[in-house]
């Protein structure tokens, strides 16, 4: 039985590869993705997750996480490019509408309980 996994991601190239591998692995069931700021801004990370899922032709619940407090957050655009995905030409899907992170967390915890990773 596949382990249900909720992925919390700042969606740079490294996370895109990890998510793609997770979606292909028989041992893992990606049950949701929540974006956070880090490699790129929260807005860009959320957008990147939607771009990746659309390019892979898969639907996984996607939620936009919380914004960082007003701090001088250093991103990794010098490593991953301004968009976090090396300026990969992936479009944002027309029906792109990420949900709220609290709703996603509540849903997957209630559904999967202690088996959730």
């Amino acid at each position: 039985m596949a382990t249900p996994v909720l992925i919390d991601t700042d969606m740079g190239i490294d996370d895109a590869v990890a998510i793609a591998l997770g979606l292909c692995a028989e041992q893992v069931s990606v049950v949701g993705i929540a974006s956070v700021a880090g490699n790129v801004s929260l807005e860009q990370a959320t957008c990147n997750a939607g771009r990746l899922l659309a390019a892979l032709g898969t639907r996984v619940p996607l939620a936009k996480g919380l914004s960082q407090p007003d701090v001088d957050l250093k991103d990794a655009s010098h490593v991953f490019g301004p968009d976090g995905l090396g300026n990969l030409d992936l479009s944002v899907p027309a029906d792109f509408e990420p949900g709220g992170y609290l709703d996603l967390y509540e849903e997957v915890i209630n559904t999967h309980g202690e088996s959730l990773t």
Side-chain angles (χ1 to χ4, degrees), residues 27-96:
Q27 302 87 345
V28 173
S29 174
V30 178
V31 296
I33 297 173
S35 62
V36 296
N39 285 329
V40 292
S41 69
L42 173 62
E43 296 296 328
Q44 188 66 56
T46 307
C47 188
N48 286 354
R51 293 168 61 203
L52 176 68
L53 292 173
L56 295 174
T58 190
R59 292 221 177 245
V60 172
L62 171 61
K64 180 179 175 182
L66 283 175
S67 295
Q68 292 288 334
D70 290 333
V71 296
D72 189 20
L73 181 67
K74 303 275 189 245
D75 66 24
S77 59
H78 63 287
V79 176
F80 297 112
D83 74 345
L85 295 178
N87 294 322
L88 192 60
D89 187 22
L90 297 176
S91 300
V92 177
D95 62 349
F96 182 67

